[in-house]
Amino acid sequence: MIALLAVVTVVGRSADVRAASGESESQSQLSASSKSTRVSPFACDRVALDPAARKRHFDELGPILRRSIKGVQELPDGYQFQFPSDPKTILAIAEWAAGERLCCPFFDIQLHLEAEGGLFWLRLTGREGTKDFIKVDGAEWIKQAR
């Protein structure tokens, strides 16, 4: 609830800033949407991570998480991977997702914790071609889960 209030407060302030600057809401939306039209290539940009972060992401977190996969589901535009829902795994996946977002910005990454202590899913999806990228670059993740 507090986070929701913070979002509402921030959104309200951005409207106040737009009004004070004379920028209309449609102009603001246009500039925001033009920023989101960037199309990254389907390639892992390892240098997007500094050397220490790269080692942590690829050499430490990746292997640990691959071994932790409990299941995989193929989706129309990607895959979702089931993991244990313990706090240590959730934190590791969140750290991995933050790094992955830098080196593979074309991914839509979602972490889903089901209610009542249910399942924990990492969902990787994206525009056309993303699923094929995962099939190749994430083959070990898919294979590990089957």
Side-chain angles (χ1 to χ4, degrees), residues 23-121:
E23 180 182 26
S24 73
E25 189 169 347
S26 61
Q27 288 171 322
S28 176
Q29 289 171 343
L30 180 60
S31 67
S33 67
S34 66
K35 291 177 188 172
S36 65
T37 58
R38 180 170 182 252
V39 179
S40 302
F42 285 120
C44 182
D45 181 8
R46 290 176 174 253
V47 297
L49 302 169
D50 66 49
R54 191 167 41 248
K55 179 177 179 14
R56 173 80 173 143
H57 185 78
F58 292 104
D59 299 339
E60 297 171 18
L61 288 172
I64 289 168
L65 297 177
R66 271 195 307 275
R67 290 190 300 269
S68 300
I69 295 172
K70 296 178 74 173
V72 64
Q73 289 181 350
E74 187 171 343
L75 304 170
D77 56 350
Y79 289 88
Q80 67 178 5
F81 302 90
Q82 181 189 354
F83 287 91
S85 58
D86 62 279
K88 186 177 178 179
T89 303
I90 293 168
L91 288 172
I93 291 286
E95 180 184 353
W96 180 88
E100 194 67 12
R101 186 169 192 238
L102 296 173
C103 64
C104 293
F106 53 87
F107 277 140
D108 181 8
I109 302 171
Q110 298 173 349
L111 308 181
H112 180 76
L113 293 157
E114 294 179 357
E116 305 296 339
L119 302 174
F120 173 42
W121 295 95

